[in-house]
């Protein structure tokens, strides 16, 4: 049985319909169809090179798709679009490598975008930043520089920094893959708390304990396709596809 708490999902906030993408003549995404509802938690797994990063990067337009439609929070992502900043404000992203600014303190990392992009006053931005540093359990690190923190702490800062923009959707791309094993749990715990707070989340991760605990749906990608998209119960206990079974056999 899944430990995931039943919770109510809202309207569709992300639509991918017939999405295709090429890198040169290599087709990296093939006919991807996915609707994500508000409050939904999606875990995406699959072999290296299957297109997981590309899929989520298309959602905040770090990559452009070539075919089909993507709509994020009511805004259709299209070539030459003007309101890309609006989409990026609503969609937070946490990467495998924490991508913190090394020359800025933790607090300064957290207030930079709210002040520059949202135009928030410094005092207010700092108040919000301290709140989120509290939420990721490192309020005492506010004055330190990233290089003075452990990898797990840096990743929690990266999560807090994203949350400071008050995003409606959070994307995670293998957020624990670069961490030493003993630091994985402290980051996953923060992600579980975020999921339980109702955040809409798409997480690329191979942490299957996390998937069982919080995912509403687990998606398996292989060679640019969504092969399976199921509740954790079905996904882990009776996956339909042979490819999914083979993958699970390797990682579980
Ligand atoms: P995953 O995250 O599942 O490992 P990616 O989305 O990163 O997969 O990559 C899927 C495929 O696309 C891989 O074969 C990768 O080498 C290729 N690829 C990724 N980014 C680029 C790029 N910018 N240019 C060309 N090929 C790329
Ligand atoms: Mg990747």
């Amino acid at each position: 049985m899944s430990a995931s708490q039943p919770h109510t999902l809202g309207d569709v906030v992300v639509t991918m319909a017939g999405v295709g993408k090429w890198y040169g003549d290599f087709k990296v995404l093939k006919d991807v169809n996915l609707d994500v509802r508000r409050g939904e938690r999606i875990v995406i797994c699959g072999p290296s090179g299957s297109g997981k990063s590309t899929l989520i990067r298309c959602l905040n337009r770090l990559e452009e798709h070539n075919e089909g439609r993507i709509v994020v929070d009511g805004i259709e992502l299209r070539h030459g679009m003007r309101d890309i900043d609006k989409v990026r404000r609503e969609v937070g992203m946490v990467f495998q490598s924490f991508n913190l600014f090394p020359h800025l303190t933790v607090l300064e990392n957290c207030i930079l975008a709210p002040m520059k992009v949202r135009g928030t006053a410094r005092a207010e931005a700092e108040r919000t930043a301290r709140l989120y540093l509290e939420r990721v359990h490192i309020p005492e690190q506010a004055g330190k520089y990233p290089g003075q923190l452990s990898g797990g702490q840096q990743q929690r800062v990266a999560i807090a920094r994203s949350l400071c923009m008050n995003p409606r959707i959070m994307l995670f791309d293998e957020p624990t893959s670069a961490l030493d094993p003993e630091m994985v749990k402290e980051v996953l715990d923060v992600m579980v708390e975020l999921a339980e707070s109702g955040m809409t989340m798409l997480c690329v991760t191979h942490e299957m304990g996390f998937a069982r605990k919080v995912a509403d749906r687990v998606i398996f990608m292989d060679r640019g396709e969504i092969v399976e998209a199921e509740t954790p119960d079905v996904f882990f206990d009776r996956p339909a596809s042979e490819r999914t079974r083979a993958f699970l056999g390797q990682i579980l």
Side-chain angles (χ1 to χ4, degrees):
M1 279 292 286
S2 163
S4 169
Q5 301 293 314
H7 65 125
T8 321
L9 300 178
D11 298 336
V12 170
V13 283
V14 173
T15 297
M16 302 181 88
V19 170
K21 175 170 177 64
W22 282 266
Y23 288 124
D25 52 14
F26 173 66
K27 192 159 195 189
V28 58
L29 294 180
K30 300 171 192 161
D31 191 26
V32 168
N33 294 288
L34 177 66
D35 279 343
V36 182
R37 293 170 62 190
R38 178 143 344 265
E40 196 170 11
R41 313 135 185 181
I42 307 265
V43 164
I44 303 170
C45 61
S48 178
S50 57
K52 307 180 297 295
S53 295
T54 305
L55 187 155
I56 63 168
R57 289 166 68 87
C58 282
L59 296 180
N60 65 355
R61 210 117 177 110
L62 289 176
E63 298 288 351
E64 285 191 22
H65 61 292
N66 309 112
E67 265 181 355
R69 289 181 72 222
I70 302 181
V71 182
V72 175
D73 213 22
I75 301 174
E76 175 153 11
L77 308 188
R78 34 170 123 240
H79 191 70
M81 63 187 295
R82 293 207 180 147
D83 34 8
I84 183 61
D85 288 347
K86 184 155 178 242
V87 175
R88 296 230 173 102
R89 283 200 295 269
E90 307 303 333
V91 182
M93 182 149 179
V94 173
F95 302 86
Q96 181 176 336
S97 51
F98 326 121
N99 293 7
L100 297 171
F101 298 112
H103 60 292
L104 298 180
T105 66
V106 164
L107 190 71
E108 288 163 349
N109 264 279
C110 290
I111 64 174
L112 187 68
M115 288 175 61
K116 288 219 164 179
V117 181
R118 288 231 193 247
T120 309
R122 174 176 286 270
E124 157 109 36
E126 287 192 4
R127 205 161 39 239
T128 305
R130 289 186 192 281
L131 193 85
Y132 282 116
L133 289 171
E134 194 92 46
R135 288 249 314 250
V136 302
H137 313 299
I138 40 172
E140 72 286 357
Q141 309 294 347
K144 292 203 184 153
Y145 288 88
Q148 298 173 293
L149 305 183
S150 73
Q153 290 172 326
Q154 288 187 58
Q155 193 58 302
R156 286 184 284 150
V157 173
I159 294 172
R161 180 178 63 172
S162 273
L163 294 175
C164 284
M165 286 293 281
N166 198 21
R168 292 159 72 90
I169 300 165
M170 282 289 289
L171 310 176
F172 291 86
D173 194 355
E174 305 209 32
T176 61
S177 304
L179 298 177
D180 291 335
E182 71 271 22
M183 293 170 191
V184 169
K185 184 172 181 298
E186 66 191 44
V187 171
L188 290 178
D189 285 349
V190 164
M191 290 171 63
V192 170
E193 287 164 17
L194 186 60
E196 285 168 353
S197 78
M199 179 64 78
T200 308
M201 294 165 69
L202 286 93
C203 311
V204 176
T205 180
H206 291 152
E207 293 291 339
M208 293 296 125
F210 173 79
R212 268 204 195 262
K213 196 163 185 184
V214 307
D216 295 294
R217 276 187 294 163
V218 185
I219 287 176
F220 174 66
M221 285 189 77
D222 193 19
R223 287 173 249 161
E225 293 174 317
I226 293 182
V227 175
E228 194 127 351
E230 283 295 349
T231 62
D233 286 355
V234 173
F235 186 84
F236 291 111
D237 301 335
R238 40 182 198 286
S241 153
E242 182 50 46
R243 282 197 265 174
T244 311
R245 284 195 288 273
F247 176 76
L248 289 174
Q250 283 166 10
I251 65 161
L252 290 181

